[in-house]
Amino acid sequence: WQRMRVEPGWEAAVESRLRDRIHALELTGAEALQALLSDPPPAKLTVFTASNEVPHNVGNRRPLLSLVRSDDAAVRAVLGDWLAGCFAVEGTPSSADASALAPGEWLINRDGHQFSRNGVSFHAPDVSDSGILARQREIETLQQRVDT
């Protein structure tokens, strides 16, 4: 989460999709992944490996990924993977919009509710992570004020 920025007002949507992945750790090689697979940690953990491939935009929908920026190529690539098939919507999408989704695609609104072809996952903030991206933005804004 420290290496990405989200468009204001869309923090809950991105957090709801990333969930545990928001604390993902980057592995620096296949050996590190193999070590974790051989001796798993005693707690929940999400990891990613570096790649520079980012998926392209799909049709006229607004990809959730388009609301997230990172100067780090590895973070951009993994976010592209994790947010693939996720599209930002305002409010509650119509049943026609949801039924037009392909399997594995999601419409996600500002509140973080996720709509698929056949259902809805209602977002509730995780106490330990709720607002982490909004707090990051506030800290950066306050730091800029202090610096000026």
Side-chain angles (χ1 to χ4, degrees):
W1 63 267
Q2 296 169 324
R3 293 169 27 197
M4 65 179 186
R5 302 295 172 265
V6 178
E7 189 171 307
W10 285 96
E11 295 88 355
V14 173
E15 286 179 13
S16 79
R17 183 62 185 157
L18 296 180
R19 285 280 189 199
D20 298 341
R21 297 177 203 169
I22 203 153
H23 295 292
L25 302 175
E26 182 176 7
L27 297 181
T28 56
E31 313 81 43
L33 177 58
Q34 189 56 47
L36 277 176
L37 292 171
S38 299
D39 186 22
K44 288 193 316 184
L45 175 67
T46 300
V47 298
F48 68 95
T49 56
S51 168
N52 291 325
E53 295 179 30
V54 177
H56 60 281
N57 291 353
V58 179
N60 62 356
R61 297 184 192 146
R62 185 177 186 188
L64 192 58
L65 181 62
S66 72
L67 303 171
V68 182
R69 296 175 314 282
S70 177
D71 294 330
D72 187 310
V75 171
R76 284 193 311 270
V78 75
L79 287 171
D81 178 39
W82 289 344
L83 297 177
C86 297
F87 302 95
V89 294
E90 295 291 348
T92 302
S94 70
S95 58
D97 289 339
S99 65
L101 293 170
E105 289 184 336
W106 294 86
L107 299 175
I108 303 175
N109 67 12
R110 287 181 185 265
D111 294 325
H113 303 319
Q114 302 178 40
F115 304 83
S116 71
R117 290 170 50 144
N118 300 306
V120 178
S121 293
F122 293 96
H123 173 63
D126 186 348
V127 175
S128 63
D129 289 338
S130 181
I132 195 170
L133 297 173
R135 285 192 304 273
Q136 175 186 0
R137 176 183 320 287
E138 184 177 350
I139 290 168
E140 290 170 352
T141 301
L142 291 172
Q143 185 62 49
Q144 288 173 351
R145 288 182 187 165
V146 168
D147 292 345
T148 57

